[in-house]
Amino acid sequence: LLEGDNTIIMDAYNFNGVHTRALLTNQLDMMPMQVYPIYPSYYQAINIFAQPIKAGIDSTEAVDFSGITVLMKIIPSINGGFASLTNFTNVSPEWIDITSSCSFDSYTKTVSYMPSSAIEGEYCMKIKSIDQAGNKSESCWSFYVDQTPPVCTITNDGDLKFSTVSETSPRF
């Protein structure tokens, strides 16, 4: 059978040549749901949660949210740097199931989660899905919460010379 609608035709004849036809139509679904980040996007840096973490679900059919599990892992920053930037699967803390704290919108096909606070560090989101046909998928993405303001320092080692330019038009 092929992906999509399939029709099976069965013809039966008895010894007298009487004919009966039966049709069976079914739909074969081998395509899992595809999950993608809406906010924050891949590797985006934010400083607070002004809006919920949100993911979209790309599916040609109605989404059954009972087959969706949402997991989150936070890797706190260490001395102004991140514990890991890319390999978050082998770093503690472990994945936390936040599915029961998420909101699901079947009209927009989105999953949302609003954290109660913003801990500085790397956030890893993992959404696992199983659709009604049993197709499985898993999507992961990372983003960062950075609440440390940048520091700009100018030091004069005695060689810097300052001058005043009165002309305001650019010179090339």
Side-chain angles (χ1 to χ4, degrees):
L1 297 176
L2 301 173
E3 172 88 19
D5 292 330
N6 292 279
T7 301
I8 299 170
I9 302 170
M10 187 169 111
D11 290 317
Y13 296 89
N14 67 10
F15 291 112
N16 295 324
V18 178
H19 172 256
T20 300
R21 175 173 276 186
L23 298 173
L24 171 66
T25 303
N26 72 348
Q27 185 177 38
L28 182 60
D29 176 10
M30 298 185 306
M31 184 66 98
M33 293 183 273
Q34 299 298 313
V35 180
Y36 58 92
I38 295 174
Y39 177 82
S41 61
Y42 292 102
Y43 306 111
Q44 181 178 356
I46 61 173
N47 64 357
I48 60 167
F49 288 107
Q51 57 183 312
I53 298 168
K54 188 179 277 191
I57 300 168
D58 188 9
S59 176
T60 56
E61 56 201 51
V63 176
D64 176 15
F65 289 107
S66 66
I68 292 182
T69 304
V70 183
L71 305 168
M72 181 173 71
K73 182 191 296 190
I74 303 171
I75 304 166
S77 64
I78 300 171
N79 298 328
F82 294 107
S84 169
L85 294 178
T86 55
N87 186 10
F88 57 83
T89 55
N90 297 321
V91 179
S92 289
E94 297 300 317
W95 292 104
I96 300 167
D97 187 337
I98 59 169
T99 308
S100 62
S101 300
C102 292
S103 60
F104 301 92
D105 187 327
S106 57
Y107 180 73
T108 60
K109 297 182 181 179
T110 56
V111 178
S112 300
Y113 172 71
M114 186 63 163
S116 57
S117 63
I119 299 170
E120 194 166 78
E122 180 181 8
Y123 284 65
C124 307
M125 301 299 296
K126 181 187 291 187
I127 299 180
K128 297 179 177 183
S129 65
I130 301 173
D131 67 12
Q132 292 177 338
N135 300 313
K136 297 178 183 179
S137 72
E138 184 174 297
S139 178
C140 295
W141 84 94
S142 293
F143 61 92
Y144 306 96
V145 173
D146 183 2
Q147 298 171 324
T148 305
V151 176
C152 182
T153 306
I154 299 174
T155 56
N156 186 346
D157 61 0
D159 291 337
L160 291 175
K161 295 188 173 46
F162 299 95
S163 63
T164 304
V165 177
S166 60
E167 191 175 321
T168 58
S169 61
R171 292 187 280 177
F172 299 100

